[in-house]
Each structure stands twice: as C-alpha cells, then as structure tokens.
Amino acid sequence: MKILYYDCFCGISGDMNLSALIDLGVPKEYLIQELSKLNLDSEYEIKVEGSAKLGITGTRADVILKNSTRISEQVLHTEHNHEHSHHHSGENNHNHEHSHEEHVYNDEHHHRNLKDIEKIINSSDLNDKVKKLSLDMFMKVAEAEAKVHGKDIYEVHFHEVGAIDSIVDIVGAAICLDYLKVDKIIASPVQVGGGFVKCAHGLMPVPAPATVEILKNVPINVGIVQFETTTPTGAAILAANACEFTTNIDFSIKKIAYGIGHRDLEIPNVLRVYLGEKESTEEIEEQYILETNIDDMNPELYGYVEEKLFEAGALDVFKTPIFMKKGRPGTKLSVLVSEKNEKDVLDVVFEETTSIGVRKFKVEKIMLNREFSKVKTEYGDITIKKAYYKGKLVKYKAEYEECKAIAKEKNISINKVYKAVYKQDIH
C-alpha cells in the first residue's frame, strides 16, 4: 500500500503543498502542462526553484501573476464596495513578504466566485478525477466562507477562491495527488499558529474564522509561533483528502520531501511530506454504518439524497426494501462513513429525509493491498488498479474514467477499451 503522509508541524498552505509534492517527485513540466488545460495561462506563470529554511533544503513554487497592479485595499473597498475575505490574508502572510491586508492584486478576475470556478474546471480537458478533487477542495473553502459571512455559497464573492493563485494551488494539488496515485492520505494534527490576524471581521485570534470552520473534526495544535501558519487553502487540501489524522507512523518511509515557505520563523517554515509503503496484505480500517428505516418519503428523492450523502463524504450508500410494523413496506437506508465525515452525513440524513433517528454501528473494513500501474494498449496507456492477497495478484480492473474518456475521444464502444486492457499480460 502506497501512503502519503503530511507532517504539518508548521502548518500548511496552498503553495507550500504544491512545493512539497513537486519536491516529492511530481515533474514540474507535467504539472504546468496539466494546469494549462484550465486555459488561464495568460494570467500567471509558475516559478519553481530550490530553497532552504534553517538548514532544511527543499522546493519553493510560486504563482506569479501577469499584468497585475497593486492598489490599496482601502481604495478597492471604496471603488467596488466589496468585503474581502480574510482567507487570502492568511495565505499571503504565511508565504509572501506583503500581506493582503496591505495590498491586493487588482485584475479583471478579482470577483470570480464559485460558479465561475466550477465553469473553468468543468469546461477544461482535465480528467474527471482531477476535476472532482479540485471541486471538493473549493467546496470546503466556499462552505466555510458562506458560513462565516452568513450567505449562500453562490452568493459570496471572495478573494480567496476567486484569486488565480488559489485556483492554481488547488487544481495543482489535485493534479499532483492524481499523479502520485497513492492508496491513502494521512496527516498529523495541524499546527495553526498563534497570535492575531487582520481580516474582514477585524482583528481575530488565530485560527481565523474560516480556517477553523474548515478544520472542524480535525485535531489541531496551536501557538508554536505567534503567526498564522495554516491557511484556508491548506486546510481545505487536508480536509478534503486526508482520511486520518494521527502521529502514529506505521509504514515504511521511502521518500521525504519539503515545501519551503517564504517567511522566516523561529522554527523551519516548511511542510514535510512522506511517501511510504505498508507491507501488510490487508488493511483493516474502523468505519461506521448509519442506518434508518423510512416508510413515508417520496421514493423519487432517494437519488438526490444519495448524491448529497456522497458529497458529504459517505464511503458507500445502499438501500434495502423492508417490511416495517403493521406490514408497511419501507426502505432501510444504510450509509458507510468514516468518523471524520459522520457529522456531515448525519446533517444530510436529518435535513433531506423524513428520518427522525438513526442506528450507528462500528464496523471493521478489511481491504486488500492495492497498487496502480499503466498498461499499454492500442488506444494508449491506461491505468489499472491491482489487488493483492497474501502477496499475490488476485484481481485487477481498468480505471473507468480513463476508459470512458478514451471511448468518447475515439468514438468507440467502452467495451472495446476494456477488452484492449484485459487482453494484455498483467503481472
């Protein structure tokens, strides 16, 4: 099993994450090529270079905006009557010499909101997995912004999600994670820093409102330095992708990498990541089943509820026809969920169904060791997921999204693509 571990002893930000994953082995050329599919090349360029903090060497990746001028935020507030989020303030304070509270970039894309982001991503040629990962991370930030400002997620115009560097950081994170093809992402408790940060609400203690909103149900540490060390973008990357937060490293570390921040602190301002392997044939993971019996809901709504449950982090959703008391036909709705996403899933059950109570069971999920590899076919290279039992390959399957994309591109049956994979010698 291939594992990516985030050691967030000095927090995490969007650009430090990108830096660390490049340092871990994602080719910068590949990242830049994939990001070009967003068709935003005219707005930015990426600078990648070696760097160091307090003797620790690693990589620094900067998103440099093109054709931008800086004006005071006070003037921008007057001209546009626009309340800026504290989000970008945190991002810049952690990694750049100039705080967003002092300056912002005045460009034509300053007011991008979530609908704009969704359109940019969904209309791109990025693969479906990268699109989903990207939108999941953006949704974490958008939901936090909306909660803090008391607005609908599509009503909020906020700098963090609309800023081009945040788009590159988040979509870049999705591209890198997809490239690494790890089986599991784990993180340490997240250091958020200390002191105060200036934001749209005034002077607020660290963690700022939206950052802590994103990190609900995630263990955090505070006060290692009197400075905001975790930004909303960094928090969203972890909240959307890490399945576990622990200091227990029960895998073999194969590679170590560092993403270097800009600001000089009393401790190394770096994000450390490990790429590791776990030798066990099967992985046992604790999860929960939430279930409820329903006999008074319009059956047409189950499809909608299922979509909402998966968006909330459900690992599986299934429905069983049952007979309830007095012979009434009903449906047992069962949801498999990790502890991290339990609350969000319960919110959907109670808000979107007629249920007034659920049963909760702790279960152990036993999973075979898996790995991903590429096979060459007449239609190009296709990723397959291989499963091992007692050290032997027992089954494999082609990645559906890649097969679907090839079938659409070449206007052929998807079955032909699958057959092209399965006639290869897999070992």
Side-chain angles (χ1 to χ4, degrees), residues 144-155:
E145 277 284 2
K147 179 78 176 291
V148 168
H149 291 286
K151 296 182 179 179
D152 180 82
I153 57 173
Y154 291 105
E155 292 177 340

Side-chain angles (χ1 to χ4, degrees), residues 171-234:
V171 178
I175 291 167
C176 291
L177 293 175
D178 179 59
Y179 177 89
L180 291 171
K181 295 275 190 290
V182 296
D183 300 298
K184 190 174 184 179
I185 298 174
I186 309 174
S188 68
V190 184
Q191 173 63 235
V192 297
F196 289 80
V197 62
K198 192 189 298 182
C199 62
H201 315 281
L203 202 60
M204 298 292 292
V206 170
T211 303
V212 75
E213 185 71 31
I214 294 169
L215 292 177
K216 281 190 306 187
N217 301 317
V218 172
I220 64 173
N221 292 321
V222 300
I224 195 167
V225 291
Q226 292 301 294
F227 178 74
E228 183 181 39
T229 58
T230 292
T231 67
T233 298

